[in-house]
Amino acid sequence: MNDRGLLEEFDFFKERDGRFRISLTSTCNARCWFCHNEGSAPPIEVEHNKELQHKKHICSADEYIMLVKGLINLGISRLYFTGGEPLISQKLNPILATIPPHDPQKFKVILATNGVLLNKKIHELKDKQIDKVKISLHAFSDESMWRIERLSCIDEVKESIRKASGIFPEVEINTLLMPENQHEILDIIQFARDLKIDIEILELVWTDYNRPCYTDKRLSTNDLASELVRQGGTEQLSSPGIGVNLKVVDFENSSVRLMDNSLGSSYVGTCQTCSLRTACVEGFWSIRVDPEGYAQPCLLRNDLRVDLKPYLQKEGDLESFIPLWVGAFMKGEPMLDIFLWESVF
């Protein structure tokens, strides 16, 4: 196996803003019907089916800290802290406290939250090395929020977004377009524009959990993009080279990025022979690390999970392992666990 070729693939991943999404907990205070919980069983599904279990929270704060340090050393440009809801996790603050001052042009620390707890915790977060807060806003009224998330606190979330926009270097809204919020989507976008912050509009991604309703629930963003152009926005196409291509509609003080399945996605070597390729619309764009310390490069393929904990015990082990593992996935070359371990030692 040509290690140099695998390292080149990993370099391409980094150059195209490939990211790691670090899930600190599978617990969440919301019950969104569409949630994929970063590959863990969503809270609403666990409630409905008692045989399902969340992933266990066995990755320690020290192991997460070692993970983050190793990823920074490797030059990963986007580090997301997610959940469930990451603000529930007691590990978040100790981890953030170890991240050194840095140039956000080299790497960004991004907190992804539903915003419900943000207002209460914002003062303990404002001095941390957080470059961007990405806040979900899937509704604009309590009625819609209840139908989507089983929560009724939309004013608190809006206030969190307002307050965060004046504290953190960058704030972005994240919204899934769906039948439950279609009538409010322009209000949500206008809210972002009034605050002069960006917003990303997503289309529903297929998973095993939303299989029964996927066809009825998935809405295209195409008409929405056309409406925003009619409102004076300037449209362009963003093709990052990994993941989903996006339509971007720019206004004077904010941008609306829209996922559009019809624009296509970028797939890598392993994707070419994957039996789930026809169901995948995201392509390859991130590595997800779950609360058990496992990483997987694809939301739909649990069989690709690999345990990172053995590489989080000693300085330098992770830095030797990750480039070859990610590179092999991108190149479509199988790598046995024993080979991976030997390549570290």
Side-chain angles (χ1 to χ4, degrees), residues 164-313:
S165 67
I167 292 177
F168 297 102
E170 189 176 351
V171 172
E172 182 178 281
I173 291 173
N174 193 63
T175 305
L176 174 70
L177 180 63
M178 65 187 97
E180 290 85 350
N181 70 6
Q182 190 175 21
H183 64 293
E184 295 177 342
I185 196 67
L186 290 176
D187 293 325
I188 296 171
I189 292 173
Q190 189 60 52
F191 178 74
R193 291 178 59 190
D194 290 343
L195 290 175
K196 301 179 182 179
I197 60 178
D198 294 343
I199 180 170
E200 185 164 10
I201 309 294
L202 305 176
E203 294 182 348
L204 182 63
V205 173
W206 181 91
T207 70
D208 273 338
Y209 298 112
N210 64 38
R211 183 197 302 263
C213 64
Y214 176 77
T215 301
D216 294 331
K217 294 280 195 177
R218 192 191 75 80
L219 298 180
S220 171
T221 62
N222 187 59
D223 289 344
L224 178 58
S226 298
E227 173 59 27
L228 294 174
V229 171
R230 283 194 291 271
Q231 292 183 9
T234 302
E235 183 182 308
Q236 58 179 308
L237 179 65
S238 173
S239 299
I242 60 173
V244 182
N245 297 325
L246 302 170
K247 284 182 181 176
V248 181
V249 181
D250 292 317
F251 292 93
E252 183 177 358
N253 293 307
S254 68
S255 294
V256 184
R257 298 204 309 275
L258 301 105
M259 178 181 175
D260 185 336
N261 290 355
S262 67
L263 297 177
S265 305
S266 299
Y267 299 95
V268 296
T270 302
C271 306
Q272 306 308 320
T273 57
C274 179
S275 61
L276 296 176
R277 168 70 182 271
T278 56
C280 174
V281 299
E282 288 192 304
F284 172 60
W285 60 284
S286 70
I287 304 293
R288 291 175 163 91
V289 182
D290 64 33
E292 294 180 348
Y294 281 75
Q296 65 186 88
C298 173
L299 181 65
L300 305 181
R301 295 277 303 274
N302 284 330
D303 62 302
L304 296 173
R305 292 175 74 221
V306 62
D307 190 358
L308 293 185
K309 292 189 295 297
Y311 306 98
L312 299 175
Q313 310 308 312

Side-chain angles (χ1 to χ4, degrees), residues 51-224:
E51 294 182 359
L52 289 175
Q53 297 292 324
H54 290 303
K55 288 187 169 68
K56 298 177 182 178
H57 300 149
I58 58 178
C59 195
S60 69
D62 286 342
E63 287 170 326
Y64 278 123
I65 289 168
M66 184 73 83
L67 169 66
V68 170
K69 182 178 180 180
L71 295 176
I72 292 173
N73 289 341
L74 283 169
I76 296 296
S77 61
R78 297 289 186 273
L79 297 177
Y80 280 72
F81 291 100
T82 73
E85 171 51 51
L87 293 181
I88 290 176
S89 175
Q90 295 182 355
K91 298 172 185 176
L92 177 62
N93 278 341
I95 296 167
L96 291 177
T98 68
I99 297 177
H102 57 273
D103 181 355
Q105 297 300 317
K106 293 183 178 179
F107 75 91
K108 280 189 177 181
V109 175
I110 301 159
L111 176 67
T113 172
N114 60 30
V116 174
L117 297 175
L118 183 58
N119 212 13
K120 298 176 182 178
K121 294 180 175 286
I122 202 164
H123 291 293
E124 64 188 69
L125 293 171
K126 65 180 182 180
D127 295 326
K128 300 294 192 300
Q129 293 295 317
I130 299 173
D131 303 298
K132 180 176 180 178
V133 179
K134 192 160 187 172
I135 306 171
S136 296
L137 185 65
H138 301 299
F140 211 65
S141 66
D142 275 336
E143 293 77 12
S144 296
M145 190 181 193
W146 178 258
R147 287 196 296 271
I148 296 167
E149 304 178 50
R150 292 295 183 263
L151 292 171
S152 297
C153 53
I154 196 66
D155 288 339
E156 187 169 350
V157 175
K158 290 177 187 176
E159 181 57 28
S160 292
I161 296 172
R162 292 189 188 98
K163 189 175 291 187
S165 67
I167 292 177
F168 297 102
E170 189 176 351
V171 172
E172 182 178 281
I173 291 173
N174 193 63
T175 305
L176 174 70
L177 180 63
M178 65 187 97
E180 290 85 350
N181 70 6
Q182 190 175 21
H183 64 293
E184 295 177 342
I185 196 67
L186 290 176
D187 293 325
I188 296 171
I189 292 173
Q190 189 60 52
F191 178 74
R193 291 178 59 190
D194 290 343
L195 290 175
K196 301 179 182 179
I197 60 178
D198 294 343
I199 180 170
E200 185 164 10
I201 309 294
L202 305 176
E203 294 182 348
L204 182 63
V205 173
W206 181 91
T207 70
D208 273 338
Y209 298 112
N210 64 38
R211 183 197 302 263
C213 64
Y214 176 77
T215 301
D216 294 331
K217 294 280 195 177
R218 192 191 75 80
L219 298 180
S220 171
T221 62
N222 187 59
D223 289 344
L224 178 58

